[in-house]
């Protein structure tokens, strides 16, 4: 995504890289969620679904080959203004903007489309309309591989994710008994590298150590969401 | 509209249903274990994740079947998965075979996914409501698996001479084992008659209609001759025992474990 358009791609034995855009609901914009390597559009969508939609909600996915995307930051445009002259096909171009440095599951929102004579011209329009963006990207409508929107596809690609909720880490820490019950019974394991204990009391307190932590305090570290 | 009266199963029917649910779960558990063996070893990261997803889904289906069994006889799914030895498992030999290369893995998963998708599609109409509900849930995932593995079989068969050779070799090795998926367990016929279980002959016909054109017309593979009649699910290959030894090792080493 940050690759400057002026750099020629180095030799790469991997399959082409595709940027994946995910729409969480009909009312939400498509958002860039990451990339996959794939041999062809169908393969890109299948792997994108596996990598990005096993659990999070989605109703539609787009995959766009890296080579079909033109992206730039203000700094890059200042250094290489010729990027705005990048030639290509006249088409409807989708415009994506990055608005924040905040870490997030998504980093570019698609904000709309423009008619342009080529990617450079589309980027110029994106820059003009979203002057304060941290980065822009554009790609032509024709470059999009998209999932079908028939009920069968939605059912099999996207509906199962709704039943798969994220589980708290603690959920995986216990087989058969709730952590609280084990805590009450004084059977919570301590950290692997912890010094020996008899019941709740540390056996060999080093003089410089903090007072030995109680079992409950250790357990509280684990029990995020009882 | 009034709800239909709940189906009551005779003792014999219940025993047969337990046998069937266990066989279905065992296929899923063992295939999931084979799929899981690729974790960290698949050709590319994306496929590593995809196959792990598929394997997890299959294991999830095993959990669904074993919960249905628990409702019938109170058995514990974890106990069933992690304490039965090879003689107690009733999986088909198809899923026991070592993972092989990527072509073998994708083709086996494809043939199995197609079978499972067709079976589940029919099972959605089961007169035994708990099974119909489970089938509806699992069917959605299986349809997606099937798209993924069908794509791979096609890409490999139409790829390079080497990938074609490997895919054809895999088909030759797998084909003789497929008949077993369509063999009824003891007492299954009566349950099929009552609409509890799908008719395996009809499932086979639909499966053939789905799989054969894909393998031959679309992928240019040659179907091997039909294999001889297969022994039942009580007979295993030599590959099951080492698989279970690895899969069950932690559970067997720590039979009282409550934390891990």
């Amino acid at each position: 995504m940050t690759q400057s358009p002026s750099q020629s791609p180095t030799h790469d034995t991997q399959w082409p890289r595709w940027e994946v855009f995910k729409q969480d609901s009909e009312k939400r914009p498509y958002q860039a969620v990451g990339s996959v390597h794939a041999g062809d559009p169908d393969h890109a969508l299948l792997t994108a679904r596996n990598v990005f939609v096993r659990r999070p909600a989605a109703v539609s996915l787009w995959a766009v080959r890296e080579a079909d995307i033109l992206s730039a930051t203000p700094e890059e445009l200042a250094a290489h203004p010729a990027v705005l002259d990048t030639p290509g096909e006249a088409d409807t171009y989708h415009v994506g903007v990055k608005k924040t440095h905040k870490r997030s599951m998504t980093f570019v929102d698609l904000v709309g489309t423009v008619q342009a004579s080529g990617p450079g011209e589309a980027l110029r329009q994106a820059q003009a309309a979203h002057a304060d963006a941290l980065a822009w990207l554009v790609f032509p409508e024709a470059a999009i591989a998209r999932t079908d929107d028939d009920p069968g596809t939605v059912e099999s690609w996207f509906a199962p994710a709704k039943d798969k909720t994220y589980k708290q880490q603690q959920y995986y820490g216990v087989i058969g008994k709730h952590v609280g019950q084990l805590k009450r019974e004084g059977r919570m394991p301590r950290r692997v590298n912890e010094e020996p204990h008899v019941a709740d009391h540390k056996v060999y307190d080093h003089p410089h150590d903090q007072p030995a932590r109680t079992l409950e305090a250790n357990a509280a570290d684990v029990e995020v969401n009882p | 509209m009034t709800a239909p009266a709940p189906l009551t199963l005779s003792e014999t029917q219940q025993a047969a249903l337990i046998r069937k649910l266990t066989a279905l779960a065992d296929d899923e558990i063992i295939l999931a274990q084979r799929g899981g063996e690729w974790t960290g070893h698949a050709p590319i990261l994306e496929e590593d994740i995809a196959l792990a997803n598929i394997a997890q889904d299959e294991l999830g289906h095993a959990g669904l079947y074993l919960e249905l069994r628990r409702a019938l006889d109170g058995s514990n799914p974890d106990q069933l998965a992690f304490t039965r030895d090879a003689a107690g498992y009733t999986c088909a030999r198809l899923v026991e075979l070592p993972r092989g290369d990527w072509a073998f893995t994708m083709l086996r998963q494809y043939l199995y996914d197609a079978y499972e998708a067709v079976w589940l599609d029919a099972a959605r109409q089961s007169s035994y409501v708990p099974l119909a509900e489970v089938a509806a849930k699992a069917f959605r995932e299986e349809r997606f698996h099937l798209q993924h593995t069908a794509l791979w079989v096609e890409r490999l068969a139409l790829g390079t001479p080497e990938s074609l050779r490997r895919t054809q070799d895999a088909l030759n090795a797998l084909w003789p084992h497929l008949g077993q998926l369509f063999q009824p367990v003891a007492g299954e016929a009566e349950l099929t008659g009552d609409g509890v279980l799908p008719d395996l002959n009809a499932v086979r016909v639909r499966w053939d209609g789905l799989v054969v054109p894909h393998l031959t017309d679309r992928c240019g593979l040659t179907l091997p001759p039909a294999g001889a009649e297969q022994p039942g699910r009580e007979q295993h290959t030599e590959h099951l025992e080492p698989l279970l030894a690895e899969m069950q090792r932690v559970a067997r080493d720590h039979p009282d474990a409550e934390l891990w």
Side-chain angles (χ1 to χ4, degrees):
Chain A
M1 197 69 104
T2 52
Q3 188 189 359
S4 158
S6 60
Q7 285 172 348
S8 65
T10 49
H11 177 69
D12 191 347
T13 57
Q14 299 211 70
W15 288 322
R17 191 159 67 77
W18 304 69
E19 282 300 324
V20 177
F21 299 89
K22 178 164 83 77
Q23 190 186 30
D24 290 353
S25 76
E26 311 290 348
K27 296 182 190 113
R28 301 275 299 148
Y30 282 82
Q31 296 177 300
V33 288
S35 57
V36 293
H37 294 89
D40 55 73
D42 288 342
H43 187 213
L45 289 171
L46 279 163
T47 52
R49 188 276 193 183
N50 271 302
V51 174
F52 297 110
V53 201
R54 179 167 171 81
R55 287 189 175 80
V59 294
S60 173
L61 281 177
W62 289 357
V64 181
R65 205 184 290 253
E66 174 198 14
D68 292 323
I69 296 175
L70 181 63
S71 70
T73 62
E75 295 76 17
E76 285 168 344
L77 285 186
H80 307 282
V83 169
L84 294 175
D85 302 323
T86 306
E89 298 291 313
D91 198 348
T92 299
Y93 281 78
H94 291 265
V95 173
V97 296
K98 177 179 164 71
K99 291 171 182 160
T100 170
H101 282 304
K102 227 166 57 181
R103 285 166 64 87
S104 162
M105 295 284 284
T106 64
F107 38 93
V108 168
D109 285 10
L110 296 189
V111 292
T113 59
V114 295
Q115 299 298 320
S117 57
E121 161 65 14
L123 195 61
R124 192 187 297 273
Q125 292 187 45
Q127 183 196 23
H130 306 277
D132 57 344
L134 300 168
W136 307 271
L137 68 77
V138 295
F139 55 84
E141 171 77 17
I144 304 169
R146 59 185 92 216
T147 52
D148 294 333
D149 54 9
D150 62 288
T153 298
V154 173
E155 267 289 291
S156 61
W157 283 54
F158 303 121
K162 297 199 168 68
D163 302 336
K164 292 189 171 75
T165 51
Y166 286 107
K167 287 172 180 158
Q168 294 286 346
Q169 194 176 2
Q170 104 200 43
Y171 177 92
Y172 295 100
V174 181
I175 296 173
K177 291 203 173 181
H178 189 271
V179 64
Q181 185 182 348
L182 290 154
K183 194 174 72 176
R184 285 189 294 279
E185 293 169 6
R187 297 199 290 142
M188 274 300 290
R190 297 179 174 85
R191 294 184 188 116
V192 176
N193 293 326
E194 214 173 23
E195 290 170 74
H197 282 72
V198 172
D200 291 354
H201 302 289
K202 215 166 162 185
V203 181
Y204 304 110
D205 274 340
H206 189 279
H208 301 302
D209 272 356
Q210 296 291 315
R213 302 193 66 199
T214 64
L215 186 65
E216 283 71 24
N218 282 336
D221 289 348
V222 183
E223 197 165 19
V224 178
N225 185 17
Chain B
M1 205 174 94
T2 54
L7 181 79
T8 42
L9 298 171
S10 71
E11 217 165 285
T12 330
Q13 284 180 316
Q14 213 174 93
L17 184 55
I18 287 169
R19 265 194 297 279
K20 182 68 179 181
L21 292 168
T22 312
L24 290 164
D26 287 354
D27 285 349
E28 306 267 32
I29 292 169
I30 303 304
L31 186 61
Q33 179 70 12
R34 286 294 183 220
E37 287 174 4
W38 278 98
T39 304
H41 302 280
I44 62 165
L45 177 64
E46 288 85 339
E47 288 298 332
D48 204 292
I49 294 170
L51 188 51
N53 279 350
I54 289 176
Q56 255 189 301
D57 285 348
E58 305 297 28
L59 204 55
H61 301 170
L64 295 173
Y65 293 134
L66 292 181
E67 285 300 330
L68 292 181
R69 172 171 167 175
R70 191 211 290 266
L72 291 170
D73 69 357
S75 57
N76 178 327
D78 285 338
Q79 290 283 321
L80 289 171
F82 291 115
T83 62
R84 277 179 303 155
D85 56 17
Y89 257 83
T90 57
C91 53
R93 288 175 293 277
L94 175 81
V95 295
E96 301 169 8
L97 301 174
R99 76 183 198 203
D101 58 16
W102 190 247
F104 186 91
T105 298
M106 284 294 108
L107 184 61
R108 169 166 58 186
Q109 188 71 44
Y110 166 71
L111 296 167
Y112 183 86
D113 289 343
Y115 147 78
E116 201 193 347
V118 171
W119 192 89
L120 288 171
D121 191 20
R124 294 195 290 175
Q125 309 303 321
S126 171
S127 55
Y128 186 62
V129 176
L131 176 60
E133 287 170 354
V134 157
K137 193 175 155 89
F139 174 69
R140 304 175 311 176
E141 290 177 338
E142 217 47 51
R143 273 188 61 172
F144 180 75
H145 295 179
L146 184 58
Q147 285 189 49
H148 193 144
T149 50
L151 175 140
W152 262 107
V153 170
E154 185 186 348
R155 300 297 185 276
L156 289 166
L158 303 178
T160 65
E162 172 75 1
S163 70
L164 170 62
R165 180 186 67 74
R166 285 172 181 259
T167 313
Q168 183 65 54
D169 285 354
L171 185 58
N172 297 345
L174 289 164
W175 200 250
H177 295 283
L178 281 157
Q180 210 191 352
L181 293 177
F182 305 96
Q183 281 177 2
V185 301
E188 185 167 337
E190 194 187 331
L191 289 171
T192 299
D194 285 355
V196 174
L197 292 173
D199 172 9
L200 286 176
N201 292 323
V203 169
R204 175 78 203 229
V205 168
R206 257 198 87 193
W207 183 86
D208 278 336
L210 189 68
V211 164
V212 172
H214 186 72
L215 295 177
T216 56
D217 302 345
R218 188 152 183 145
C219 301
L221 296 164
T222 308
L223 288 190
E229 186 63 21
Q230 297 263 316
R233 284 172 176 265
E234 66 291 342
Q235 271 200 36
H236 296 290
T237 66
E238 71 274 26
H239 308 297
L240 180 60
E241 226 166 285
L243 179 148
L244 289 177
E246 180 169 338
M247 185 181 95
Q248 299 177 336
R249 186 175 151 197
V250 174
R252 286 183 186 274
D253 282 357
H254 306 281
D256 305 323
E258 287 171 331
L259 293 163
W260 52 276

